[in-house]
Amino acid sequence: MSLIKGVLPALMTPLDKNGNVKTELAPAMLDFYKEQGADGLYMLGWTGEGAYLSKEKRMQWTEAVLKASDGTLPIFVHVGYNQNLDDSIELAAHAAERGAYAVSSVGISREASLQDNIDYFCRISEAAPDTPFFIYWVDNGRTLTGDKPISPVEFLEAMKAVPTFWGIKFTDTNFYILERFKKHAPELNILTGADELAYCSKQMGADGNIGALQAVTCYHYKEMMRCLENGDYAKARELQYRANEVSEAYADERIGNMPGIKLLMKEIYGIDAGYCSPSGPFAGHEIAKKDAEYLMEVFRKNILVK
């Protein structure tokens, strides 16, 4: 399989006020991202609120998205966050059976050892033997090693036990580690999750980007990557800086990144992704009118929209 490159928005999960998945929105959302030039989608991670949805709801949304995609976009399905690891294994098998391009997972917990995580990843691999597996890397890998430091070489050696290991969702800011991964395993597919540093990550060897901000700025990031590929670094930097204005705006606690993204999807693009999960950190959060108007003003001033 070839490396997936480019811009892969993190797909939000549309929910009604009671936390039910609005599966009927899958076709419209897939059509939107195809029009925006997305190179793939990553679902049920942080942006998709996978940690705050039941196994059944995650399966519902997975089925709806994969049916709407019908193989036209590579869909990455995150299957982690479960205290009961059997749920992760079931989610991986389910995603693979329905045509996911890849499955992905965070580690078990910060307390779990590297061997615990390797054993868990092997179980995912067994459940989806023909589907690439991507680990979710954060905090210099400490969430995968029982909070112990580990070098890229040591980690790559350990991951040889996982037959379907194909890549990393690198949601970290230590791009020295990213560069070392690429040096020692150039075939590894590395997709970064630091929205505000996509320009930098590309310069350090990342194949592409997965992020919450790209959920509403896909075309803008595509233009940034095009500028980088054409050697127009000044323009690419400008586009990164402009995207960061939006990131800073919705980071304000009065707005919040998930409520802000759902607001922008509705007001800018006309797709009502509804509410945040009633069991998540933004349960019941409402954005005041003046704050909503401010976020939209910042967005319209800075973001290229197709």
Side-chain angles (χ1 to χ4, degrees):
M1 299 179 70
S2 59
L3 296 178
I4 297 293
K5 299 182 178 181
V7 178
L8 294 87
L11 184 66
M12 63 191 79
T13 304
L15 301 170
D16 67 19
K17 199 167 189 176
N18 297 316
N20 299 308
V21 183
K22 299 167 68 174
T23 54
E24 68 277 8
L25 285 183
M29 293 179 81
L30 267 290
D31 287 345
F32 166 74
Y33 285 115
K34 291 173 191 175
E35 180 186 352
Q36 295 292 308
D39 297 293
L41 294 170
Y42 188 98
M43 63 184 298
L44 293 168
W46 166 256
T47 308
E49 302 179 272
Y52 310 107
L53 299 174
S54 68
K55 177 183 69 177
E56 291 72 24
K57 288 179 180 177
R58 291 165 75 173
M59 286 183 172
Q60 289 172 11
W61 186 228
T62 296
E63 287 188 21
V65 170
L66 291 173
K67 181 179 179 180
S69 172
D70 194 25
T72 56
L73 276 180
I75 307 295
F76 292 62
V77 181
H78 186 274
V79 301
Y81 300 131
N82 301 293
Q83 290 184 335
N84 180 358
L85 299 185
D86 289 344
D87 286 348
S88 294
I89 307 312
E90 190 174 348
L91 287 166
H94 174 265
E97 288 168 2
R98 281 152 181 78
Y101 170 82
V103 292
S104 177
S105 182
V106 293
I108 299 170
S109 71
R110 202 173 188 92
E111 292 72 38
S113 69
L114 176 61
Q115 190 57 55
D116 291 337
N117 280 300
I118 294 297
D119 293 343
Y120 164 58
F121 296 155
C122 283
R123 290 186 65 197
I124 291 176
S125 183
E126 290 169 6
D130 300 315
T131 304
F133 173 65
F134 282 64
I135 61 164
Y136 198 121
W137 177 280
V138 296
D139 195 17
N140 293 329
R142 285 179 174 269
T143 59
L144 302 169
T145 62
D147 207 25
K148 297 178 181 178
I150 189 169
S151 73
V153 172
E154 291 173 313
F155 188 75
L156 290 170
E157 184 62 29
M159 287 299 292
K160 288 180 180 178
V162 184
T164 56
F165 175 49
W166 186 258
I168 301 175
K169 183 185 186 298
F170 191 89
T171 304
D172 209 334
T173 57
N174 188 338
F175 293 151
Y176 166 72
I177 291 178
L178 185 158
E179 183 271 330
R180 291 291 93 184
F181 273 136
K182 271 298 187 181
K183 177 185 186 296
H184 295 293
E187 74 286 355
L188 203 63
N189 205 167
I190 299 184
L191 303 166
T192 55
D195 305 338
E196 300 83 2
L197 298 170
Y199 172 94
C200 310
S201 67
K202 181 68 174 176
Q203 298 292 73
M204 290 297 285
D207 299 305
N209 311 107
I210 295 170
L213 185 57
Q214 287 93 313
V216 288
T217 61
C218 180
Y219 177 70
H220 184 96
Y221 272 81
K222 287 287 290 186
E223 284 297 294
M224 185 196 307
M225 293 301 113
R226 185 185 63 79
C227 289
L228 278 173
E229 290 166 4
N230 292 339
D232 191 350
Y233 302 116
K235 182 63 176 179
R237 280 196 302 273
E238 178 198 340
L239 292 174
Q240 179 71 80
Y241 296 161
R242 285 163 57 179
N244 289 355
E245 293 294 323
V246 177
S247 184
E248 182 178 66
Y250 71 42
D252 188 304
E253 63 181 11
R254 293 171 298 180
I255 297 175
N257 66 344
M258 275 308 305
I261 289 167
K262 289 198 170 188
L263 171 73
L264 290 169
M265 183 61 103
K266 178 182 178 180
E267 298 298 331
I268 303 296
Y269 301 110
I271 298 176
D272 186 358
Y275 299 82
C276 294
S277 171
S279 60
F282 296 107
H285 180 79
E286 294 186 9
I287 303 173
K289 182 179 179 180
K290 64 180 179 62
D291 295 322
E293 290 174 347
Y294 168 69
L295 178 61
M296 287 187 285
E297 178 186 356
V298 172
F299 185 94
R300 291 187 172 112
K301 181 179 178 181
N302 287 285
I303 301 302
L304 301 177
V305 175
K306 187 173 182 180

